Each structure stands twice: as structure tokens, then as C-alpha cells.
Amino acid sequence: MYKRGLYHDWVPKPLQLLLIIVTTLPFLAVSCVFPTNIIDMSSGMGEISEAFSFASNAMYIGMTGAIPMLFRTKPYFRSKEIVVGGLLIMSLLCYVSSTTDNVYVIAFASLLMGFFRMFGTIEFILPIFFIITPTMDRRRFYPTFYPIAIIVGQYAGFYMSSLAYRMFWEHTYLVAIIYCLACALLALVFMHNSRGMKKKPFYQFHWTSLLLFFTMMMVLNYVLTFAKFHGWFQSELIWWGTVAFFVMLVLFIAIQRSIKRPFMEMDGFSKRNVIHSLVMIALLGLFVSSGSMQNTYMMGVLGYSSLLTNQLNLAMFPGAIIGGIICFFWLKHNLDLKELVMIGFGSYMVAHIILYFTIAPEVQVAFFILPTILKGIGLCVLYISLATYCSQQLTINQMLTAMATLVMIRSFLGQALFGSILTWAFYKLQLQNLTNLASHMDAVDFMGQLRGGGLMLYKSAQLQAIMLAVKQLMGYTIIAGFVILIYIALHRFGSTRYRRIVIMRKRLKGHSVEGYLSRGRKPKEERAIEDAASVAM
């Protein structure tokens, strides 16, 4: 007997809703490396921060590798097996991360965490999808779910950073383990044992492609994360790592083209909307990565604690809600996506302009609230609009591949690439500014002695150099933002309004409209999993 729901019939509907909310949270928030705790982990283990950024990026690579497998695993396993097994594995990986002293073990655990987390995420996104919109209208689902996911992620980061600040960073994993085990126990008791569909054998899956994909992306992860530390292409590791990535990329594409059941469908990347949506989501990484420069300024110059810096990110909550409301009405009235994307990037632009004129030796924390709200608006709007644009006119296999790539570029590739560039530029600008300031100082003159001598002058000059470097990078980011807005303004997003005009003209002239009409609606189950995969984090 097949059963569509997740829970036993004797479980009341309100309790089912509560269980879905409670059990979804670990799949959205638990991680082997919380980005807000990277500084604490780096200090505690005596490793450079780049190593933990490398481990954090590995989770998104694991998530990307899991997305093409969703259709294979769901008919083979029961929902209860996927959820309980995923939570237990996540608990084990958190325990490994909290006890090991090797950062590369944490990176491997993070890779597996993202891989297994994705399967459980899909199990709960599907019922949430039907709860939010029984008619399966993605124009309602995206603006409702994305703000919730952003808020959960931001609050989880703040909560874990507050635990690490008050106690130790290892204790954050203890909280995550307890919560995952409690959710596994709830799923074990309340979830039914029936299958949701007919069991299909798990065969003809190309495991070699999955391993090659993981190896290829982890090599790229190492190159982008450690490029600045090794001096970019002056290091043989970075040079040979780059060569190895491109060789494996060519091999991976050739394998996908040659096998009957490819791991990733490559035909979708020839679509115009897929190419441009991936480019735009990568450019989003420029604005997201610049947040590290803001944190450096707030902690290095203003002297704010890491807890206060992470607490400021809670101001993204109202921004995410406002962004969801904007997208809801925009998609409801079927307006052009071009203006919606420009609103997203424009919000980031205004936020950076405000920050550019805010930077000073002393600034109250209240001045950073409005830019953070604008960043929340931009993040939510761009997530929804670009996911909608990318998913247009794709088959289900092409959709899964495109969404997997979108998640990887959004969460890893774009931020890692622009983060490396900004970190390198910050170091160079800081050094240049410090040199310029030092050329005008004399530690032995009378005024220099009154200020505390050479060491105090060096400290003051260093703080000024950091402040100037941050302001210069903000200015360069604003200039790049104007270029991005011009690119978006010149790009045609292929609105359905133009398609209707063409069809109307052909019908008035008596010409055939074959090829211009949609090919029909996809099966209900396929459309649900397709939409769920497009929002899974």
C-alpha cells in the first residue's frame, strides 16, 4: 500500500504541521562548519581561516552532487528511512567535526554532510510546497519559502556564534547532535512505514561521474580558497591544481555526452536563460563576498566583537520578508523579471553606497542596520528571480542539472572566486596605504613622541590603512555594480508577453502556431520535485 503523506493517520493535522517545521530545521541549518564560527575554530585549532572556508565550501559541493540523484533514491527508499538515516548520519558527522584535530577530516565530513542533508531536505520541502500552495503555483511558493530559508540560516549562524562566544565552539556541535537525534526519534515514532510510490531498482547510476565530480570540484575549491595564501600562480600547487581541474572538467563533459544515463544533463547549458542566470548568480558573489571586508572594518577598526557583528546580520530578517513580499506581487502579476533582478542588484548597490559614506574611525552600530536590511532585500529577490528565470523551458533532467549548478555557483563558486580576489586586493591596498602613510611619519619628532612613539604611530597608521583599503574596495564594488546593472538592462529576459504577441499575430494572419505553444503540463509528482529541487539549499 502506497501513502503520500509523511506521518501515521492517527497523528493530528496540527501536530503533523508542527513536526514538519521542527524536523525541517536541522536539514536547513546544521553544518560541519558554521561560517560565523570560522574565526573561533581557526584560533582554537591553530589553522589558517582559509582551511575552514575550504571545509565550509565542501558542503555545497556535496549538496550539488546529491541533486541529480533525487529521482533515483526517492522511489528506492522510504521517506522514513531517508529522514531518520540522514539525521543519524548528520549527528555522526557533527561528532567527528567536534572531536578531530585535522581540518581536512572536517572538510570530508562537510562534503558528506551536504550530500546526505539534501535528501532529507527534499522530503520535507515537498509537503511544505503543498501546504503553501495546494495548486502547486511556484509564484506563491518561492516568495514564501525563500525568506523562511534565509531567516533560518541567518538565525542559526547567530545562535551558534553566540554559543561559541559564551562557551567554546565545540559546544555548538553538541547542540546540533542533540537536536538531530531528537528529530530522528520524532521521525521514528510518528512517520509511517509505507512507501510513497512503487519501488524502483537503483541501477545504471554512473558512480564514476559522481566521484569525478566531487574530485574535480574539491580541487577547484582548494585552488580558489588557498590561491591568495599560496601567492596565486606563483605556487606550483595552484598552477597544477588549475590544470587538473580543467582536464577533469573536459573528461567529465565527455563522459556525460557518451553514456546512456548521464549523471548531469549537459544540453540544458545551451539554453540562453540558463547561461545568463548562472552568470548573474555568480556576480551576486561579488556583493556577498564584500561582507567580509565590512566585518574586517567593524572588528579591526571599530573594535566590535564577533558576536555583535553576527547579531547585526539579524537585520536581514525584515529585508528578506520585504523581498519576499515584492517577489510575491511581482510574480503574481506576471511582470518582467528584468526589473525584479535590477531591484535585487540595486538594493545591494544602495547598501554599498551607504557603507562607502559611512566608513569613518568611529561609527555607531545603528548606522549599519539599513544597509543590512537592503542586503536582505537584494539576497531574497535575486534568489527568487534568478531561480525562476533559470528554470524556464527546461526538461526535468535539465532542470535538476541547472538547479544543482545554480546552488553550487550561488553558495560556493561565486563567493569563493570573488572572495579570493577581494582578499588579495585588500592585502595589496592595505600594504600600499600603510607605505604611503609611513612615508609622512617620523617617530623621533616631538609630536610623535607625545603620541607614544613609533609603536603607537604604527598602530594608528595600520588602522587607517585598513579603513582606506575597505573604502577603496567598496568604491570598486560600486563601480562594478553599475556595470552589472547595465548588463542586466541590455539583456532580454524573454518575457512571456512577447510570446503572446507573436502567437496572436500568427493567428490573425492564419499561420500555424505549432512550436510556439507549450508542450503541456508535466506530471504532478515531477513538477513538485522539480520545484522543490530548485529551492533546496
Side-chain angles (χ1 to χ4, degrees), residues 114-351:
F115 183 76
F116 289 104
R117 206 179 84 168
M118 178 57 71
F119 296 106
T121 305
I122 292 298
E123 290 298 322
F124 287 100
I125 286 182
L126 287 174
I128 291 174
F129 182 88
F130 290 110
I131 291 172
I132 294 176
T133 166
T135 59
M136 292 172 42
D137 186 2
R138 69 176 64 184
R139 293 174 298 179
R140 284 189 176 185
F141 179 58
Y142 287 173
T144 306
F145 182 80
Y146 267 112
I148 296 174
I150 293 173
I151 290 173
V152 169
Q154 293 295 328
Y155 183 78
F158 166 72
Y159 180 72
M160 292 304 181
S161 66
S162 64
L163 284 180
Y165 184 80
R166 293 184 174 90
M167 295 182 288
F168 298 98
W169 62 268
E170 293 90 347
H171 293 168
T172 61
Y173 294 104
L174 180 61
V175 174
I177 291 171
I178 294 174
Y179 192 76
C180 286
L181 292 178
C183 290
L185 181 60
L186 291 174
L188 198 62
V189 173
F190 293 102
M191 292 186 71
H192 62 72
N193 299 314
S194 304
R195 293 186 178 276
M197 60 184 69
K198 183 179 179 181
K199 183 178 180 180
K200 296 181 181 179
F202 198 76
Y203 68 99
Q204 293 187 358
F205 183 79
H206 206 258
W207 294 100
T208 304
S209 296
L210 177 63
L211 295 177
L212 181 60
F213 174 79
F214 280 158
T215 305
M216 172 181 68
M217 298 313 302
M218 289 299 286
V219 169
L220 179 62
N221 185 15
Y222 185 90
V223 169
L224 294 178
T225 307
F226 289 93
K228 182 254 180 184
F229 177 76
H230 289 295
W232 290 85
F233 292 103
Q234 295 179 0
S235 170
E236 291 186 0
L237 280 174
I238 302 301
W239 175 259
W240 287 111
T242 305
V243 173
F245 166 73
F246 282 108
V247 170
M248 286 187 286
L249 178 61
V250 172
L251 180 62
F252 179 79
I253 295 175
I255 291 175
Q256 304 313 301
R257 293 286 189 182
S258 61
I259 60 179
K260 181 180 179 181
R261 296 177 180 270
F263 173 68
M264 285 188 172
E265 185 68 50
M266 295 288 107
D267 293 338
F269 294 107
S270 61
K271 303 285 186 179
R272 185 169 177 268
N273 61 303
V274 174
I275 295 173
H276 287 280
S277 61
L278 295 180
V279 171
M280 293 175 192
I281 206 70
L283 294 174
L284 173 61
L286 171 63
F287 295 101
V288 177
S289 301
S290 64
S292 62
M293 301 296 104
Q294 178 183 339
N295 293 337
T296 301
Y297 163 68
M298 294 177 66
M299 298 174 64
V301 178
L302 301 180
Y304 294 156
S305 65
S306 60
L307 179 62
L308 181 59
T309 304
N310 293 322
Q311 188 177 6
L312 183 64
N313 291 330
L314 298 180
M316 294 185 72
F317 288 10
I321 295 173
I322 294 172
I325 294 173
I326 293 173
C327 292
F328 178 82
F329 287 102
W330 205 276
L331 297 178
K332 180 180 179 180
H333 295 286
N334 200 24
L335 301 177
D336 288 343
L337 290 176
K338 175 185 289 188
E339 288 79 8
L340 190 60
V341 175
M342 293 189 72
I343 289 174
F345 280 107
S347 299
Y348 268 108
M349 281 279 297
V350 175

Side-chain angles (χ1 to χ4, degrees), residues 38 73 157 212 224 249 269 285 313 360 366 375 397 463 477 480:
I38 286 181
T73 56
L212 181 60
L224 294 178
L249 178 61
F269 294 107
N313 291 330
K375 288 182 180 181
N397 291 328
L463 293 178
T477 304

Side-chain angles (χ1 to χ4, degrees), residues 371-383:
T372 307
I373 293 175
L374 291 172
K375 288 182 180 181
I377 296 174
L379 188 68
C380 186
V381 168
L382 289 176
Y383 274 14

Side-chain angles (χ1 to χ4, degrees), residues 1-11 13 16 19-20 74 77-84 123-124 127 184-197:
M1 183 178 69
Y2 304 121
K3 203 170 183 181
R4 291 291 184 183
L6 292 176
Y7 299 101
H8 290 290
D9 294 333
W10 51 265
V11 181
K13 296 295 183 181
Q16 289 187 23
L19 289 171
I20 289 174
K74 188 165 180 58
F77 296 100
R78 296 179 177 88
S79 296
K80 188 173 186 177
E81 295 170 346
I82 294 175
V83 172
V84 175
E123 290 298 322
F124 287 100
L185 181 60
L186 291 174
L188 198 62
V189 173
F190 293 102
M191 292 186 71
H192 62 72
N193 299 314
S194 304
R195 293 186 178 276
M197 60 184 69

